Amino acid sequence: MNNESSFFSDPKVIISLIAILISIASLIWTLANQWEQNRRWDKLNAANVILKDVKLIRWKKISKVEAMSTNWGYDPLIFGSGELDEQYILPYKLVVRDVNSQNLISTINSCFTIDDVKSELERVGYKGEVNVYKNFKVKFEIENRGKTDANELDLKVKTKHDNLNWQDAFTANAKISLSSDQISTIVFDFDFPVNTKLPDEIYFKLLMNYKDIHNNSIDKEINSKWTSNDNFWSYSNK
């Protein structure tokens, strides 16, 4: 008992123990602080792939006079160009599919009126029955806004309208990598019968999966919609 009492009563021992405790506490604080700094760095610099822009490709620009005087053969969907009051655009072309096989007749040139379609079918000597569609091309621009790479990026797009189920619209055939501020573009089609009124709203779901610099898998979903009466794109909660 005397030896133990003597040991712990020695000021040097007490000072040493206090120093050890302070060192341990300092190490714990340093590690915790470093972990917090790393977490913040990861959050600030992590790969962050966003939908930068989305729009319909413009197939034809026409004047107001041309738009009003053309014999379209159907009810056209024409929008202002956003540049000049007298300039308009068609965000589609007409495509033709065989009635029975539904195969696209790809040998004809771009058409915008029913007379164009008839002339092209006559030119290529096509004799079968066909269905005519308005063909729209959607262009999605995605960008990595993070400070580190997004690797093995996989992209899919689904679409729906009215009360129908989601349908596949685009699936990437290869995975890509996006460095910081790098942009990539995907383009895909959707068709509507030429004499069918377009839905007021068409919804799109962009599904992304990629890996960050720590090889963590990240899933993102971005929803958007297109309103056909004014050619306007916006985010959607669907």
Side-chain angles (χ1 to χ4, degrees), residues 73-216:
Y74 63 95
D75 186 18
L77 185 65
I78 302 174
F79 297 114
S81 67
E83 297 168 1
L84 298 171
D85 290 340
E86 299 299 312
Q87 292 294 315
Y88 295 84
I89 58 139
L90 268 70
Y92 65 90
K93 64 177 180 178
L94 299 184
V95 297
V96 182
R97 295 182 181 274
D98 181 86
V99 167
N100 296 316
S101 67
Q102 285 301 302
N103 289 333
L104 183 69
I105 302 172
S106 58
T107 53
I108 67 172
N109 295 318
S110 296
C111 299
F112 298 96
T113 70
I114 297 300
D115 285 343
D116 290 342
V117 171
K118 292 177 180 177
S119 296
E120 281 298 302
L121 290 175
E122 183 178 347
R123 181 184 66 81
V124 301
Y126 193 84
K127 302 299 184 181
E129 282 191 76
V130 298
N131 287 324
V132 183
Y133 297 86
K134 293 174 182 174
N135 172 252
F136 299 83
K137 283 189 180 294
V138 184
K139 181 180 179 180
F140 275 25
E141 275 191 4
I142 59 172
E143 180 182 11
N144 180 10
R145 288 281 179 86
K147 301 301 181 184
T148 54
D149 293 352
N151 297 310
E152 299 183 33
L153 174 61
D154 189 30
L155 296 167
K156 293 181 181 179
V157 178
K158 294 180 178 290
T159 184
K160 67 169 292 185
H161 58 84
D162 299 319
N163 293 319
L164 300 179
N165 294 326
W166 288 100
Q167 301 290 326
D168 292 336
F170 172 86
T171 300
N173 55 18
K175 295 182 179 181
I176 62 174
S177 293
L178 289 180
S179 57
S180 178
D181 297 327
Q182 187 175 1
I183 295 172
S184 184
T185 300
I186 59 175
V187 178
F188 58 92
D189 300 48
F190 68 89
D191 296 343
F192 275 92
V194 67
N195 290 316
T196 299
K197 181 182 182 299
L198 262 68
D200 293 334
E201 297 175 326
I202 301 178
Y203 297 90
F204 297 87
K205 185 193 301 286
L206 174 61
L207 301 168
M208 297 183 287
N209 174 267
Y210 56 91
K211 292 184 178 179
D212 64 14
I213 58 171
H214 302 301
N215 210 37
N216 296 318

Side-chain angles (χ1 to χ4, degrees), residues 8 72 82 211:
F8 286 104
W72 299 100
K211 292 184 178 179

